[in-house]
Amino acid sequence: MNLNELPYRTLAIVRGTDRHAALRTVLTLAEEGITATEVSLTTPDALWVIEQARRELGPQATLGAGTVLTGEDAARAADAGASFLVTPGLGEDLRHRAAFELPMLIGALTPSEVIAASECGALAVKLFPASLGGPGYLKALRDPFPAVPFVPVGGIDAALARAYLAVGAVAVGVGSPLVGDAAGGGDLDALRERVARWRAALTEEVAA
């Protein structure tokens, strides 16, 4: 999984209230060019969503599980077909169990947490919640951690995504500003329109 090669440098976060709507959302995002998606385990029947999406999208799809809190979560997500895992932080269970067979984006906010995530072999540090510090905070973190790949997550719209990428984020994670209410049964045509606007905005940044 090469984060620098994600389409539009975007990881879509699907956190829904209905499993069928969540699945339709993942598939629609892929159809519209947002092919890297994280399904939060807080979504009802999230593992079923991952299984079905994997079946539809095939083995090469960049499809992961988010809100992974324990080693058991990690194992079950891997069994369901996730190709990467995303955590909001790093608990002792994940730290000490063999949960890192799949690439992981490990949540961190402080410098100490960034060090801990890096020591555990994180593919990237999920800067979360990024809204607490904004792009300026990421820029400050990159001074002591220039080699750490950061993926900011939390409250990121297209303008903020461009700002984060400009200060060195390898990608951004985006939920409701892109997904909206689609994963709860909302209109898929509206989702397609949001994706089109997102692609246009991020294409400018990626090309810059």
PDB file of all heavy atoms in Angstrom, residues 113-135:
ATOM      1  N   GLU A 113       3.329  10.218  21.178  1.00  0.00           N
ATOM      2  CA  GLU A 113       2.481   9.243  20.486  1.00  0.00           C
ATOM      3  C   GLU A 113       2.991   8.969  19.079  1.00  0.00           C
ATOM      4  O   GLU A 113       2.892   7.836  18.587  1.00  0.00           O
ATOM      5  CB  GLU A 113       1.037   9.745  20.462  1.00  0.00           C
ATOM      6  CG  GLU A 113       0.384   9.776  21.833  1.00  0.00           C
ATOM      7  CD  GLU A 113      -0.936  10.516  21.851  1.00  0.00           C
ATOM      8  OE1 GLU A 113      -1.270  11.202  20.854  1.00  0.00           O
ATOM      9  OE2 GLU A 113      -1.639  10.420  22.876  1.00  0.00           O
ATOM     10  N   VAL A 114       3.525   9.976  18.421  1.00  0.00           N
ATOM     11  CA  VAL A 114       4.117   9.773  17.098  1.00  0.00           C
ATOM     12  C   VAL A 114       5.293   8.809  17.198  1.00  0.00           C
ATOM     13  O   VAL A 114       5.437   7.891  16.376  1.00  0.00           O
ATOM     14  CB  VAL A 114       4.567  11.114  16.485  1.00  0.00           C
ATOM     15  CG1 VAL A 114       5.369  10.883  15.206  1.00  0.00           C
ATOM     16  CG2 VAL A 114       3.361  12.004  16.196  1.00  0.00           C
ATOM     17  N   ILE A 115       6.134   8.981  18.212  1.00  0.00           N
ATOM     18  CA  ILE A 115       7.267   8.070  18.410  1.00  0.00           C
ATOM     19  C   ILE A 115       6.783   6.652  18.657  1.00  0.00           C
ATOM     20  O   ILE A 115       7.302   5.691  18.068  1.00  0.00           O
ATOM     21  CB  ILE A 115       8.143   8.563  19.573  1.00  0.00           C
ATOM     22  CG1 ILE A 115       8.840   9.873  19.190  1.00  0.00           C
ATOM     23  CG2 ILE A 115       9.176   7.507  19.965  1.00  0.00           C
ATOM     24  CD1 ILE A 115       9.533  10.562  20.344  1.00  0.00           C
ATOM     25  N   ALA A 116       5.766   6.492  19.521  1.00  0.00           N
ATOM     26  CA  ALA A 116       5.251   5.160  19.828  1.00  0.00           C
ATOM     27  C   ALA A 116       4.684   4.484  18.591  1.00  0.00           C
ATOM     28  O   ALA A 116       4.922   3.296  18.348  1.00  0.00           O
ATOM     29  CB  ALA A 116       4.176   5.256  20.919  1.00  0.00           C
ATOM     30  N   ALA A 117       3.930   5.233  17.787  1.00  0.00           N
ATOM     31  CA  ALA A 117       3.359   4.664  16.564  1.00  0.00           C
ATOM     32  C   ALA A 117       4.456   4.242  15.598  1.00  0.00           C
ATOM     33  O   ALA A 117       4.382   3.163  14.983  1.00  0.00           O
ATOM     34  CB  ALA A 117       2.426   5.669  15.904  1.00  0.00           C
ATOM     35  N   SER A 118       5.480   5.066  15.477  1.00  0.00           N
ATOM     36  CA  SER A 118       6.586   4.740  14.576  1.00  0.00           C
ATOM     37  C   SER A 118       7.332   3.505  15.051  1.00  0.00           C
ATOM     38  O   SER A 118       7.719   2.640  14.246  1.00  0.00           O
ATOM     39  CB  SER A 118       7.539   5.930  14.465  1.00  0.00           C
ATOM     40  OG  SER A 118       6.878   7.055  13.924  1.00  0.00           O
ATOM     41  N   GLU A 119       7.553   3.385  16.365  1.00  0.00           N
ATOM     42  CA  GLU A 119       8.242   2.227  16.920  1.00  0.00           C
ATOM     43  C   GLU A 119       7.466   0.940  16.701  1.00  0.00           C
ATOM     44  O   GLU A 119       8.065  -0.147  16.647  1.00  0.00           O
ATOM     45  CB  GLU A 119       8.500   2.436  18.409  1.00  0.00           C
ATOM     46  CG  GLU A 119       9.562   3.480  18.713  1.00  0.00           C
ATOM     47  CD  GLU A 119       9.752   3.737  20.191  1.00  0.00           C
ATOM     48  OE1 GLU A 119       8.885   3.320  20.995  1.00  0.00           O
ATOM     49  OE2 GLU A 119      10.761   4.359  20.555  1.00  0.00           O
ATOM     50  N   CYS A 120       6.146   1.048  16.558  1.00  0.00           N
ATOM     51  CA  CYS A 120       5.327  -0.145  16.325  1.00  0.00           C
ATOM     52  C   CYS A 120       5.197  -0.480  14.842  1.00  0.00           C
ATOM     53  O   CYS A 120       4.423  -1.368  14.478  1.00  0.00           O
ATOM     54  CB  CYS A 120       3.946   0.046  16.942  1.00  0.00           C
ATOM     55  SG  CYS A 120       3.913  -0.142  18.728  1.00  0.00           S
ATOM     56  N   GLY A 121       5.920   0.219  14.015  1.00  0.00           N
ATOM     57  CA  GLY A 121       5.935  -0.124  12.600  1.00  0.00           C
ATOM     58  C   GLY A 121       4.789   0.425  11.795  1.00  0.00           C
ATOM     59  O   GLY A 121       4.405  -0.164  10.769  1.00  0.00           O
ATOM     60  N   ALA A 122       4.216   1.551  12.222  1.00  0.00           N
ATOM     61  CA  ALA A 122       3.086   2.120  11.497  1.00  0.00           C
ATOM     62  C   ALA A 122       3.468   2.440  10.052  1.00  0.00           C
ATOM     63  O   ALA A 122       4.542   2.988   9.788  1.00  0.00           O
ATOM     64  CB  ALA A 122       2.607   3.392  12.188  1.00  0.00           C
ATOM     65  N   LEU A 123       2.592   2.090   9.135  1.00  0.00           N
ATOM     66  CA  LEU A 123       2.766   2.514   7.745  1.00  0.00           C
ATOM     67  C   LEU A 123       2.752   4.035   7.670  1.00  0.00           C
ATOM     68  O   LEU A 123       3.503   4.648   6.912  1.00  0.00           O
ATOM     69  CB  LEU A 123       1.642   1.938   6.880  1.00  0.00           C
ATOM     70  CG  LEU A 123       1.567   2.426   5.443  1.00  0.00           C
ATOM     71  CD1 LEU A 123       2.743   1.905   4.633  1.00  0.00           C
ATOM     72  CD2 LEU A 123       0.257   2.009   4.796  1.00  0.00           C
ATOM     73  N   ALA A 124       1.869   4.640   8.468  1.00  0.00           N
ATOM     74  CA  ALA A 124       1.779   6.094   8.564  1.00  0.00           C
ATOM     75  C   ALA A 124       1.164   6.429   9.903  1.00  0.00           C
ATOM     76  O   ALA A 124       0.514   5.593  10.544  1.00  0.00           O
ATOM     77  CB  ALA A 124       0.931   6.672   7.436  1.00  0.00           C
ATOM     78  N   VAL A 125       1.372   7.659  10.333  1.00  0.00           N
ATOM     79  CA  VAL A 125       0.729   8.165  11.538  1.00  0.00           C
ATOM     80  C   VAL A 125      -0.542   8.896  11.128  1.00  0.00           C
ATOM     81  O   VAL A 125      -0.500   9.827  10.316  1.00  0.00           O
ATOM     82  CB  VAL A 125       1.658   9.105  12.319  1.00  0.00           C
ATOM     83  CG1 VAL A 125       0.898   9.837  13.424  1.00  0.00           C
ATOM     84  CG2 VAL A 125       2.816   8.320  12.922  1.00  0.00           C
ATOM     85  N   LYS A 126      -1.653   8.430  11.665  1.00  0.00           N
ATOM     86  CA  LYS A 126      -2.926   9.110  11.482  1.00  0.00           C
ATOM     87  C   LYS A 126      -2.961  10.265  12.486  1.00  0.00           C
ATOM     88  O   LYS A 126      -3.094  10.035  13.689  1.00  0.00           O
ATOM     89  CB  LYS A 126      -4.076   8.131  11.711  1.00  0.00           C
ATOM     90  CG  LYS A 126      -5.453   8.782  11.813  1.00  0.00           C
ATOM     91  CD  LYS A 126      -6.488   7.727  12.199  1.00  0.00           C
ATOM     92  CE  LYS A 126      -7.805   8.354  12.594  1.00  0.00           C
ATOM     93  NZ  LYS A 126      -8.818   7.330  12.954  1.00  0.00           N
ATOM     94  N   LEU A 127      -2.804  11.484  12.022  1.00  0.00           N
ATOM     95  CA  LEU A 127      -2.828  12.640  12.910  1.00  0.00           C
ATOM     96  C   LEU A 127      -4.276  12.920  13.275  1.00  0.00           C
ATOM     97  O   LEU A 127      -5.060  13.401  12.443  1.00  0.00           O
ATOM     98  CB  LEU A 127      -2.190  13.848  12.229  1.00  0.00           C
ATOM     99  CG  LEU A 127      -2.058  15.099  13.089  1.00  0.00           C
ATOM    100  CD1 LEU A 127      -1.146  14.837  14.288  1.00  0.00           C
ATOM    101  CD2 LEU A 127      -1.532  16.256  12.258  1.00  0.00           C
ATOM    102  N   PHE A 128      -4.626  12.614  14.531  1.00  0.00           N
ATOM    103  CA  PHE A 128      -6.040  12.637  14.926  1.00  0.00           C
ATOM    104  C   PHE A 128      -6.195  13.077  16.376  1.00  0.00           C
ATOM    105  O   PHE A 128      -5.453  12.599  17.240  1.00  0.00           O
ATOM    106  CB  PHE A 128      -6.641  11.243  14.732  1.00  0.00           C
ATOM    107  CG  PHE A 128      -8.079  11.147  15.175  1.00  0.00           C
ATOM    108  CD1 PHE A 128      -9.092  11.638  14.366  1.00  0.00           C
ATOM    109  CD2 PHE A 128      -8.408  10.585  16.398  1.00  0.00           C
ATOM    110  CE1 PHE A 128     -10.414  11.560  14.781  1.00  0.00           C
ATOM    111  CE2 PHE A 128      -9.724  10.506  16.809  1.00  0.00           C
ATOM    112  CZ  PHE A 128     -10.736  10.987  15.996  1.00  0.00           C
ATOM    113  N   PRO A 129      -7.167  13.965  16.644  1.00  0.00           N
ATOM    114  CA  PRO A 129      -7.975  14.695  15.663  1.00  0.00           C
ATOM    115  C   PRO A 129      -7.213  15.891  15.112  1.00  0.00           C
ATOM    116  O   PRO A 129      -6.813  16.786  15.850  1.00  0.00           O
ATOM    117  CB  PRO A 129      -9.201  15.139  16.474  1.00  0.00           C
ATOM    118  CG  PRO A 129      -8.720  15.203  17.890  1.00  0.00           C
ATOM    119  CD  PRO A 129      -7.620  14.187  18.037  1.00  0.00           C
ATOM    120  N   ALA A 130      -7.030  15.909  13.820  1.00  0.00           N
ATOM    121  CA  ALA A 130      -6.231  16.948  13.174  1.00  0.00           C
ATOM    122  C   ALA A 130      -6.830  18.331  13.388  1.00  0.00           C
ATOM    123  O   ALA A 130      -6.111  19.333  13.366  1.00  0.00           O
ATOM    124  CB  ALA A 130      -6.113  16.649  11.680  1.00  0.00           C
ATOM    125  N   SER A 131      -8.140  18.393  13.618  1.00  0.00           N
ATOM    126  CA  SER A 131      -8.803  19.688  13.781  1.00  0.00           C
ATOM    127  C   SER A 131      -8.311  20.450  15.003  1.00  0.00           C
ATOM    128  O   SER A 131      -8.476  21.677  15.073  1.00  0.00           O
ATOM    129  CB  SER A 131     -10.322  19.486  13.892  1.00  0.00           C
ATOM    130  OG  SER A 131     -10.638  18.593  14.955  1.00  0.00           O
ATOM    131  N   LEU A 132      -7.683  19.771  15.943  1.00  0.00           N
ATOM    132  CA  LEU A 132      -7.199  20.459  17.141  1.00  0.00           C
ATOM    133  C   LEU A 132      -6.035  21.400  16.843  1.00  0.00           C
ATOM    134  O   LEU A 132      -5.858  22.406  17.528  1.00  0.00           O
ATOM    135  CB  LEU A 132      -6.770  19.450  18.210  1.00  0.00           C
ATOM    136  CG  LEU A 132      -7.887  18.689  18.914  1.00  0.00           C
ATOM    137  CD1 LEU A 132      -7.300  17.750  19.954  1.00  0.00           C
ATOM    138  CD2 LEU A 132      -8.880  19.647  19.569  1.00  0.00           C
ATOM    139  N   GLY A 133      -5.245  21.073  15.849  1.00  0.00           N
ATOM    140  CA  GLY A 133      -4.072  21.901  15.569  1.00  0.00           C
ATOM    141  C   GLY A 133      -4.024  22.481  14.174  1.00  0.00           C
ATOM    142  O   GLY A 133      -3.351  23.482  13.942  1.00  0.00           O
ATOM    143  N   GLY A 134      -4.715  21.840  13.252  1.00  0.00           N
ATOM    144  CA  GLY A 134      -4.745  22.337  11.890  1.00  0.00           C
ATOM    145  C   GLY A 134      -3.435  22.117  11.146  1.00  0.00           C
ATOM    146  O   GLY A 134      -2.490  21.506  11.659  1.00  0.00           O
ATOM    147  N   PRO A 135      -3.351  22.622   9.915  1.00  0.00           N
ATOM    148  CA  PRO A 135      -2.143  22.447   9.112  1.00  0.00           C
ATOM    149  C   PRO A 135      -0.889  22.998   9.785  1.00  0.00           C
ATOM    150  O   PRO A 135       0.204  22.455   9.593  1.00  0.00           O
ATOM    151  CB  PRO A 135      -2.473  23.204   7.820  1.00  0.00           C
ATOM    152  CG  PRO A 135      -3.964  23.158   7.730  1.00  0.00           C
ATOM    153  CD  PRO A 135      -4.444  23.264   9.147  1.00  0.00           C
TER     154      PRO A 135
END
